[in-house]
Amino acid sequence: SAVISQKPSRDICQRGTSLTIQCQVDSQVTMMFWYRQQPGQSLTLIATANQGSEATYESGFVIDKFPISRPNLTFSTLTVSNMSPEDSSIYLCSVEVIRSNTFDEQYFGPGTRLTVT
Amino acid sequence: GQNIDQPTEMTATEGAIVQINCTYQTSGFNGLFWYQQHAGEAPTFLSYNVLDGLEEKGRFSSFLSRSKGYSYLLLKELQMKDSASYLCAVSYFNKFYFGSGTKLNVKP
């Protein structure tokens, strides 16, 4: 398994500002992912973060709005830039743990609850 | 695009059996996962199917039919603590795509 921590656990921010969320894993992992979960909804993949390369963004998400860093195999950050109330959400990081050649599992961090006023 | 559908909400009685369905149409497929998520907490892994058929794990079972793009999660002997959201997710190319989730309410 993998134990994941995120900082901050929650924050209230003013529109127009930026917030950087940190994700720390207790073991080295190749792939890390960032998700957004808006109130009452499921998880939407924002981007995949691999160490040593640029993050890969899903449709509807761009690097200027959600820059990601992945400096090593145990750490990643997601920045929510120029925030608006629509960015209010829970942001979760997850890591892939490969169990076999047919089975890879994702473990999730506890999430960062962001409110933009 | 990815299209993964689940019922929004279900209610069942403690001790009963409930089946939560998931249908999917995705660009690719490596496997189908079920996660449980209690309010305010991160999702936790329940089960995984890569081949057609039934996977049993204690009180939880999951079924997959790849030809039909269909899966279900079966919860037996329901307990109050099973009240949570259940998320169906399709994985391919190392990415997970989630359905909207089914909120299960277990009543005494």
Side-chain angles (χ1 to χ4, degrees), chain A residues 33 42 58 96 102 104 106, chain B residues 33 35 37 48 94-95 99:
Chain A
F33 306 87
S42 191
E58 296 298 304
E96 179 194 43
T102 60
D104 53 303
Q106 283 207 1
Chain B
F33 288 74
Y35 281 80
Q37 186 177 28
Y48 168 75
N94 304 112
K95 298 181 182 180

Side-chain angles (χ1 to χ4, degrees), chain A residues 31 33 35 37 40-43 45 48 56 58 92 96 102-110 113, chain B residues 6 30 33 35 37 40-45 48 50 87 91 93-101:
Chain A
M31 302 191 75
F33 306 87
Y35 289 85
Q37 187 172 28
Q41 298 188 23
S42 191
L43 284 76
L45 181 63
T48 303
T56 305
E58 296 298 304
L92 299 103
E96 179 194 43
T102 60
F103 178 29
D104 53 303
E105 184 177 340
Q106 283 207 1
Y107 289 89
F108 287 86
R113 185 179 296 271
Chain B
Q6 304 177 234
N30 290 133
F33 288 74
Y35 281 80
Q37 186 177 28
E41 299 181 11
T44 55
F45 170 78
Y48 168 75
V50 64
L87 310 177
S91 73
F93 296 115
N94 304 112
K95 298 181 182 180
F96 281 52
Y97 296 92
F98 284 82
S100 54

Side-chain angles (χ1 to χ4, degrees), chain A:
Chain A
S1 65
V3 178
I4 305 169
S5 59
Q6 285 185 233
K7 289 182 183 179
S9 58
R10 59 178 63 227
D11 206 343
I12 300 173
C13 302
Q14 291 190 341
R15 68 175 69 204
T17 63
S18 297
L19 175 73
T20 295
I21 303 168
Q22 299 179 6
C23 178
Q24 180 76 52
V25 190
D26 68 342
S27 57
Q28 293 186 339
V29 292
T30 302
M31 302 191 75
M32 296 179 75
F33 306 87
W34 287 97
Y35 289 85
R36 181 172 73 183
Q37 187 172 28
Q38 294 182 307
Q41 298 188 23
S42 191
L43 284 76
T44 301
L45 181 63
I46 297 172
T48 303
N50 294 330
Q51 194 264 340
S53 62
E54 285 200 3
T56 305
Y57 290 82
E58 296 298 304
S59 176
F61 298 96
V62 295
I63 187 171
D64 290 346
K65 176 68 175 176
F66 297 101
I68 287 171
S69 78
R70 183 79 199 276
N72 57 53
L73 292 175
T74 63
F75 186 78
S76 178
T77 67
L78 169 77
T79 299
V80 186
S81 303
N82 188 25
M83 288 183 284
S84 66
E86 290 72 34
D87 294 321
S88 296
S89 187
I90 299 173
Y91 292 85
L92 299 103
C93 74
S94 74
V95 302
E96 179 194 43
V97 175
I98 298 174
R99 297 295 186 200
S100 70
N101 60 357
T102 60
F103 178 29
D104 53 303
E105 184 177 340
Q106 283 207 1
Y107 289 89
F108 287 86
T112 296
R113 185 179 296 271
L114 171 63
T115 303
V116 184
T117 60

Side-chain angles (χ1 to χ4, degrees), chain B:
Chain B
Q2 328 305 332
N3 195 18
I4 304 171
D5 291 320
Q6 304 177 234
T8 303
E9 192 165 357
M10 300 179 70
T11 300
T13 305
E14 191 176 16
I17 299 173
V18 70
Q19 178 175 312
I20 302 174
N21 296 324
C22 172
T23 58
Y24 63 90
Q25 289 179 305
T26 54
S27 308
F29 182 89
N30 290 133
L32 190 135
F33 288 74
W34 285 94
Y35 281 80
Q36 180 189 60
Q37 186 177 28
H38 284 99
E41 299 181 11
T44 55
F45 170 78
L46 284 178
S47 70
Y48 168 75
N49 295 74
V50 64
L51 300 175
D52 289 357
L54 188 68
E55 293 285 341
E56 297 188 79
K57 198 175 180 183
R59 294 191 298 115
F60 298 90
S61 304
S62 57
F63 172 85
L64 175 67
S65 170
R66 290 172 298 170
S67 61
K68 295 181 180 178
Y70 169 70
S71 173
Y72 67 72
L73 179 69
L74 194 70
L75 293 81
K76 304 175 187 176
E77 301 170 11
L78 279 174
Q79 302 175 8
M80 298 299 293
K81 67 178 182 180
D82 296 330
S83 292
S85 289
Y86 291 85
L87 310 177
C88 166
V90 171
S91 73
Y92 68 94
F93 296 115
N94 304 112
K95 298 181 182 180
F96 281 52
Y97 296 92
F98 284 82
S100 54
T102 299
K103 184 179 179 183
L104 176 64
N105 303 302
V106 180
K107 297 192 171 180

